[in-house]
Amino acid sequence: MSHTIHNDNDRLQLLGALGASAVDDLFSAIPETLLLRRLDLDPGLPESETREKVEDLAAANRPSGPLSFLGAGCYRHYVPAAVSALTSRGEFLTAYTPYQPEASQGTLQSIFEFQTCVSELTGLEVANASLYDGPSALAEAAFMALRLTGRDELLVSAGVHPEALQVVETYAEGPELTVLRQALDPVSGTTSTKTLQLSTATGAVLVSQPNCLGVVEDLTPLAEAAHAVGALLVVSTDLATLGILESPGMLGADIAVGDAQVFGNAPSFGGPSVGFLACRMEHLRQVPGRLVGRTLDADGRPCYTLTLQAREQHIRRAKATSNICSNQALGALAATIHLALLGPVGLRELGEICLQRAHHLHGLLCEIPGVRPLVTGPFFLEFALALPCAAEAFAQAMRTQGIDPGVPLLRMERGARPVFDPDLSAGRDEPPPPPTVPAENVLLVAVTESNPPDALARYAAAAREVLAGTEPRPQGTR
Amino acid sequence: MMTVSGGESLIFEKGIPGHRGSHLPTAGVPAADPAVLLPGVPLREEPPSLPEVAEPQVVRHYTRLSRLNYCVDTGFYPLGSCTMKYNPKLNEEMSALPGFAALHPYQTEDQVQGVLRLMYELEQALLTITGMERASLQPSAGAQGELAGILMIKAYHRDNDGTGRDTVIVPDSAHGTNLASAAMAGYRVVEIPSSPRGLIDLSTLRRHLSERTAAIMLTNPNTLGLFEEDILEISRLIHEAGALCYYDGANLNAILGKARPGDMGMDVVHLNLHKTFSTPHGGGGPGAGPVAVGPTLEPYLPMPLVRPVQGEGVFTLDYDRPFSIGRVKGFFGNVGVMIRAFTYILSVGSDGLTRAGEDAVLAANYLRARLCDLYSVPHDGPCMHEFVISATQQAERGGTARDIAKRLLDFGIHPPTVYFPLTVREALMVEPTETEDLHTLDRFVDVMRQIDGEITNDPETVREAPHHTPVRRPDETLAARHPVLRWQKPRSDEFSEPVSG
């Protein structure tokens, strides 16, 4: 099936108007040697058969459900039906970037509302119209902080998600920045502040709140330490926790980023999600990406428009604050609608449910012989367990009972740097104390309102069964 | 798009204290105070000022907002370099299938074989279409594909004694992202002037090539809608100078099934699935910007890649890529967008893709031929999928390209891209795509002719356009001088509107 709509008659008419005899005449600028005889793909299919083929591929997957406790940067929250009913409207879905404000007030106003939500939750005055995802937003925030400080060194906590660190390091190859890493305290699991590798070269300190082990960081001393050397604190945060936790802005963060996937957006195998970035008003001119502002139209009516575009690539070209053009507007709309449905009370309740269920499951699991918390720091909806066996083997055994018990630490670290990196003893940091649990035994468990109480009970019962008779492995090095 | 007088109030202004649109389950576990569960952790004291509205009000609010938008589903969108083709509805249903949408990125590979196969087959199709060797689907959008591509080029030069290569060449007709991406990758950017024919000038190019050249970034057909006839000579010169060729795939729709960047000697190509492969623009995103490479850059692709396991009929994520530039995005890319593009390619197939390119070019040439007597066309010869006209004659009579654009909105037509490329004064860049019928094309011509007449007879109407849109021209200066970027909860006094002047 083709979505081209002209028939041969139409084509003859179009060609006739051009005085051309064949469509190939229009391609005469392409050198003969480059012309393709035939595109070597299968012929098209009717819609019914296309559907069948794609549905077969979908059926070959085992989507996650209430018995999935996977998180590690992508969280399964319940999405109210109203969200997709609204975001699937063609008026939002098939609109272009709102460069023509007179014909784009719907998109523009929804982005203004998104900016307000992100600003409210992060406790920072300005939020942009979205970035690609959490990790790239962190990289953009790092670049922004270095422009603001005029420095070229980053200090990244080992509690930043390994994939996000990887994105920061990839982006850092461009301007050839120095990326230092700050170890986690092996007992508490929080970013160690005792030996912070800060100097007057440090432009930004990057931490995650909660961090990639689920631990809630103590942001205030980090902010104070960063500010003491003239650096900025960049915090990657989970909006779903911010109905309960104090906002990063109130705790001294200069820039907050993260992934608004947690609201309104299905996991979708990790994308598309919704990066966001918020900062203080004084740093407005260095914000990457689009911003929507309120103004008045020619008749004096309030309206919305893209503003401060002189920061952006289509105006400033090589001197833009970022190369970003397309962002994640539709995902930002979904997040906004979800937040509007939740409201302040719903957001708090959502946080409480996640928090209480996660702590309940944590308690049940830690009663099982051989299972203990990896670290002692406070956690919100995700926690790291030290198991008496390899986490992958445990996960595999749990899967036979239909349970995805969490993300083994090594799975999150695939192709990336380990969270407890022995290399962190190099450089200016002091060597971390030797770890007591092999990394392969560490499991990250995430609990949301999508995991009902009976799923928690089933998880605990199955885990007890699976782990029964598992002898603790000899304690080696991570 | 409906005409309403005045805008819609903000969702924040519609609330009634205590209202809510979503009811959550009870925790169902022993209750505990957050302060107890989070000892020593600072907790929020003031609730955030989120909307307090019930579901019907939320649905009405966003439905009403949606009706203030123009979109492909309601009208013609001849927006140059953006390829605003029709977005087939089947694609939406397929990407929303729970078998895809509910997949978590950290599920084990045996649970996600269907999506891995889809990603692999999509990659293969894109390689066939582009003539490249291997692709990463990870980049989130075209600009991120560009950054990935340029970082690969940088890594290649680093490994091949090319650290002195600090310059990327772009033609002056290039998209802004090209320059911004090269700069973000740490390169000096040199813009070279186009020839009077609107193409890359070989002698100018030769003059700028040196041992400092890392790459050229080009779009072919270029942003004037012209095919770079000397493309083979260009890539030969670039390679002879030890540099590499970057191909911006924004305009690939023109040459689908006709010519391939790989055959042109391109080393790296990004594609915009949201342009060429029919996925919706979503009011600015999400898109997807896969990046495809030839053999030179294959080792440097972002990781992981999806590859078949030999002889087992299954697919795996390959992290064993020691030369990879790393990641540009968390997880595997905008998979939801990939599913739509895959569905599109499957449904239109080889013939449909080729026909899409042909019909897009045919439609553009038709519009160009029918407009060229009134609007000046800066470059001769047939165009590809888009063309640029210059409204200089109209501007002399008092109607600029911007005015024409705004007046088009009154007729229910989205304007072409204006004031781009920068090489043409009063530029209007028109890309009709292959999915508009003859009536739509003819109506556009009629309206463009009518507006030209109005500029002579009734210039005020054009200069003050639009008149029939939900709002009229915004005061951009006010927006920039007094930035109001979020709603503020009114204190006891009221919400203060920005003041004009």
Side-chain angles (χ1 to χ4, degrees):
Chain A
M1 183 190 56
S2 171
H3 293 283
T4 60
I5 54 158
H6 301 301
N7 61 25
D8 288 345
N9 248 346
D10 298 340
R11 292 192 181 94
L12 282 176
Q13 211 174 319
L14 289 165
L15 282 169
L18 299 173
S21 55
V23 82
D24 281 344
D25 296 355
L26 303 175
F27 291 87
S28 58
I30 302 180
E32 187 71 28
T33 50
L34 285 178
L35 279 176
L36 202 60
R37 276 180 210 296
R38 189 187 170 275
L39 183 60
D40 189 18
L41 291 174
D42 289 339
L45 297 172
E47 181 173 320
S48 56
E49 289 173 29
T50 308
R51 172 190 292 275
E52 211 171 299
K53 285 212 164 195
V54 182
E55 283 180 347
D56 282 351
L57 288 171
N61 300 316
R62 304 247 167 283
S64 57
L67 292 170
S68 167
F69 296 84
L70 305 180
C74 178
Y75 298 92
R76 281 184 342 100
H77 289 282
Y78 179 77
V79 179
V83 174
S84 66
L86 292 165
T87 58
S88 63
R89 288 182 64 87
E91 294 92 333
F92 285 128
L93 182 72
T94 73
Y96 188 67
T97 301
Y99 287 131
Q100 296 291 338
E102 300 87 347
S104 315
Q105 285 298 301
T107 295
L108 287 163
Q109 183 171 331
S110 77
I111 295 172
F112 186 83
E113 293 175 353
F114 173 75
Q115 291 174 179
T116 305
C117 288
V118 172
S119 164
E120 269 297 313
L121 294 183
T122 56
L124 291 161
E125 294 153 286
V126 178
N128 76 357
S130 75
L131 296 167
Y132 304 131
D133 67 349
S136 69
L138 186 64
E140 291 277 12
F143 275 33
M144 177 179 163
L146 297 185
R147 286 194 299 274
L148 285 163
T149 55
R151 299 178 181 181
D152 64 358
E153 190 173 296
L154 300 171
L155 179 60
V156 187
S157 162
V160 164
H161 193 294
E163 292 194 10
L165 168 67
Q166 230 176 344
V167 173
V168 170
E169 288 186 315
T170 302
Y171 273 61
E173 282 296 314
E176 297 172 24
L177 307 173
T178 305
V179 181
L180 299 175
R181 294 178 69 211
Q182 182 68 33
L184 294 180
D185 181 294
V187 177
S188 70
T190 55
T191 303
S192 169
T193 47
K194 277 175 280 184
T195 57
L196 278 174
Q197 309 164 76
L198 289 170
S199 73
T200 49
T202 315
V205 177
L206 277 53
V207 299
S208 179
Q209 172 73 314
N211 70 25
C212 69
L213 298 179
V215 177
V216 179
E217 297 273 7
D218 191 1
L219 294 180
T220 306
L222 290 165
E224 284 167 0
H227 295 158
V229 296
L232 301 182
L233 180 66
V234 178
V235 176
S236 173
T237 189
D238 177 355
L239 295 179
T241 66
L242 294 178
I244 305 274
L245 296 183
E246 182 57 280
S247 67
M250 289 293 283
L251 296 172
D254 300 285
I255 306 174
V257 296
D259 210 313
Q261 173 269 328
V262 293
F263 294 120
N265 287 269
S268 195
F269 205 43
S273 59
V274 191
F276 64 83
L277 184 147
C279 67
R280 302 185 187 287
M281 188 55 103
E282 67 201 83
H283 299 150
L284 174 63
R285 305 275 157 179
Q286 290 301 332
V287 169
R290 297 171 184 149
L291 287 166
V292 170
R294 188 173 169 110
T295 185
L296 301 171
D297 81 351
D299 293 339
R301 293 174 299 188
C303 65
Y304 302 89
T305 185
L306 291 173
T307 191
L308 301 167
Q309 295 185 71
R311 300 164 298 107
E312 293 186 66
Q313 49 76 28
H314 62 287
I315 309 283
R316 193 59 65 82
R317 292 166 78 83
K319 293 194 167 63
T321 54
S322 168
N323 67 339
I324 192 169
C325 183
S326 286
N327 58 18
Q328 305 288 122
L330 197 71
L333 171 69
T336 309
I337 296 170
H338 193 175
L339 277 165
L341 289 164
L342 282 170
V345 177
L347 180 70
R348 183 181 171 84
E349 281 180 10
L350 178 80
E352 283 175 353
I353 296 168
C354 297
L355 182 69
Q356 292 176 357
R357 287 185 183 173
H359 281 257
H360 181 66
L361 180 62
H362 183 263
L364 294 178
L365 295 178
C366 289
E367 283 169 10
I368 300 172
V371 178
R372 61 181 183 80
L374 178 73
V375 289
T376 60
F379 66 92
F380 200 95
L381 59 72
E382 188 160 31
F383 52 86
L385 291 179
L387 299 179
C389 62
E392 276 301 347
F394 172 72
Q396 202 179 340
M398 293 287 282
R399 284 242 330 281
T400 61
Q401 309 206 30
I403 299 168
D404 263 322
V407 178
L409 181 64
L410 293 188
R411 208 189 284 171
M412 180 173 77
E413 292 174 346
R414 266 183 312 186
R417 291 181 195 278
V419 175
F420 294 101
D421 189 345
D423 287 354
L424 283 186
S425 58
R428 281 181 264 162
D429 201 2
E430 286 175 19
T436 53
V437 182
E440 64 169 0
N441 286 20
V442 176
L443 182 73
L444 298 163
V445 183
V447 186
T448 71
E449 79 288 359
S450 292
N451 303 112
D454 63 325
L456 310 184
R458 271 183 70 184
Y459 183 164
R464 191 174 281 278
E465 200 176 298
V466 164
L467 292 172
T470 313
E471 292 304 316
R473 304 177 73 139
Q475 308 256 307
T477 48
R478 246 185 308 237
Chain B
M1 189 169 58
M2 69 184 282
T3 303
V4 293
S5 65
E8 192 65 22
S9 60
L10 290 161
I11 189 75
F12 302 92
E13 296 163 334
K14 293 189 168 167
I16 296 178
H19 280 210
R20 59 190 296 181
S22 174
H23 292 271
L24 297 162
T26 54
V29 298
D33 189 331
V36 175
L37 299 179
L38 296 164
V41 173
L43 302 182
R44 184 184 277 276
E45 284 167 19
E46 285 275 309
S49 294
L50 292 176
E52 296 185 79
V53 278
E55 181 178 327
Q57 278 63 48
V58 172
V59 169
R60 266 186 207 153
H61 175 75
Y62 289 102
T63 303
R64 289 168 66 97
L65 281 191
S66 79
R67 294 169 74 188
L68 306 177
N69 270 2
Y70 190 90
C71 67
V72 170
D73 280 2
T74 53
F76 183 37
Y77 237 118
L79 197 57
S81 266
C82 300
T83 314
M84 295 298 286
K85 60 171 79 175
Y86 174 67
N87 312 130
K89 297 302 172 194
L90 177 66
N91 302 355
E92 298 308 308
E93 266 193 48
M94 295 300 97
S95 74
L97 289 170
F100 294 125
L103 285 187
H104 190 283
Y106 283 131
Q107 288 186 247
T108 51
E109 288 177 1
D110 61 301
Q111 298 180 73
V112 297
Q113 283 298 308
V115 75
L116 293 182
R117 176 182 288 275
L118 183 148
M119 290 166 72
Y120 180 75
E121 289 184 1
L122 175 61
E123 180 194 343
Q124 297 309 304
L126 298 178
L127 296 178
T128 301
I129 291 164
T130 55
M132 304 305 283
E133 178 150 317
R134 197 85 195 263
S136 162
L137 303 175
Q138 195 178 82
S140 313
Q144 205 179 33
E146 291 176 20
L147 180 63
I150 295 296
L151 287 173
M152 283 189 261
I153 288 171
K154 188 168 190 173
Y156 166 84
H157 286 311
R158 184 196 58 214
D159 291 354
N160 290 277
D161 296 326
T163 42
R165 296 186 179 273
D166 64 352
T167 305
V168 168
I169 295 174
V170 299
D172 56 4
S173 58
H175 297 118
T177 50
N178 290 177
L179 296 90
S181 300
M184 236 170 136
Y187 283 109
R188 196 170 72 96
V189 184
V190 173
E191 276 187 89
I192 58 169
S194 303
S195 72
R197 292 180 58 215
L199 301 171
I200 293 174
D201 184 76
L202 287 177
S203 59
T204 309
L205 177 63
R206 272 196 207 95
R207 245 193 349 268
H208 283 88
L209 285 176
S210 74
E211 68 289 344
R212 290 179 66 179
T213 311
I216 188 169
M217 295 181 85
L218 53 82
T219 309
N220 192 19
N222 67 19
T223 60
L224 294 161
L226 303 173
F227 192 89
E228 295 286 356
E229 295 174 6
D230 296 323
I231 188 66
L232 288 169
E233 183 62 8
I234 292 167
S235 62
R236 198 185 63 77
L237 286 173
I238 295 290
H239 289 146
E240 214 171 67
L244 298 176
C245 295
Y246 186 99
Y247 179 96
D248 176 334
N251 290 349
L252 189 76
N253 209 46
I255 57 167
L256 282 174
K258 291 288 173 195
R260 311 191 303 172
D263 300 333
M264 299 172 200
M266 299 296 115
D267 298 289
V268 50
V269 176
H270 88 258
L271 303 173
N272 301 84
L273 299 188
H274 47 294
K275 295 180 181 177
T276 318
F277 299 99
S278 85
T279 79
H281 282 69
V291 61
V293 295
T296 315
L297 294 177
E298 194 275 345
Y300 301 103
L301 279 170
M303 67 169 184
L305 296 177
V306 180
R307 71 169 170 80
V309 181
Q310 210 62 43
E312 292 183 29
V314 296
F315 294 86
T316 188
L317 291 160
D318 185 0
Y319 289 87
D320 186 17
R321 306 275 309 167
F323 294 96
S324 168
I325 58 163
R327 284 182 168 279
V328 292
K329 185 190 182 315
F331 310 123
F332 317 115
N334 284 344
V335 177
V337 178
M338 296 174 205
I339 295 162
R340 293 172 170 93
F342 177 81
T343 305
Y344 173 74
I345 292 171
L346 208 58
S347 70
V348 300
S350 170
D351 294 351
L353 285 173
T354 308
R355 186 129 272 185
E358 289 177 356
D359 285 356
V361 170
L362 193 52
N365 277 285
Y366 177 75
L367 289 184
R368 182 176 175 277
R370 294 212 45 205
L371 290 170
C372 67
D373 59 331
L374 286 183
Y375 293 86
S376 73
V377 177
H379 305 288
D380 295 332
C383 64
M384 298 300 285
H385 67 306
E386 68 188 11
F387 60 97
V388 175
I389 50 180
S390 168
T392 43
Q393 300 165 24
Q394 285 72 20
E396 279 164 22
R397 284 182 273 136
T400 63
R402 174 167 292 106
D403 298 331
I404 295 165
K406 298 300 182 193
R407 184 63 178 145
L408 275 165
L409 290 169
D410 282 333
F411 292 92
I413 294 174
H414 194 281
T417 301
V418 289
Y419 299 104
F420 186 84
L422 309 175
T423 48
V424 175
R425 285 172 53 218
E426 297 294 329
L428 288 151
M429 185 197 213
V430 183
E431 180 182 7
T433 83
E434 70 278 14
T435 59
E436 300 298 335
D437 67 13
L438 270 168
H439 288 313
T440 309
L441 299 177
D442 285 338
R443 174 150 190 278
F444 177 67
V445 171
D446 293 344
V447 170
M448 287 294 283
R449 301 183 83 87
Q450 181 175 338
I451 294 172
D452 175 71
E454 285 178 347
I455 291 170
T456 303
N457 304 323
D458 184 10
E460 283 307 299
T461 298
V462 180
R463 274 203 294 270
E464 289 177 9
H467 305 273
H468 306 306
T469 44
V471 301
R472 304 201 36 227
R473 291 191 204 192
D475 186 340
E476 309 278 2
T477 311
L478 173 66
R481 286 219 181 121
H482 305 282
V484 178
L485 305 171
R486 55 157 290 177
W487 168 81
Q488 297 287 351
K489 187 177 189 171
R491 302 277 165 199
S492 48
D493 39 348
E494 81 295 16
F495 175 43
S496 63
E497 290 291 345
V499 184
S500 192

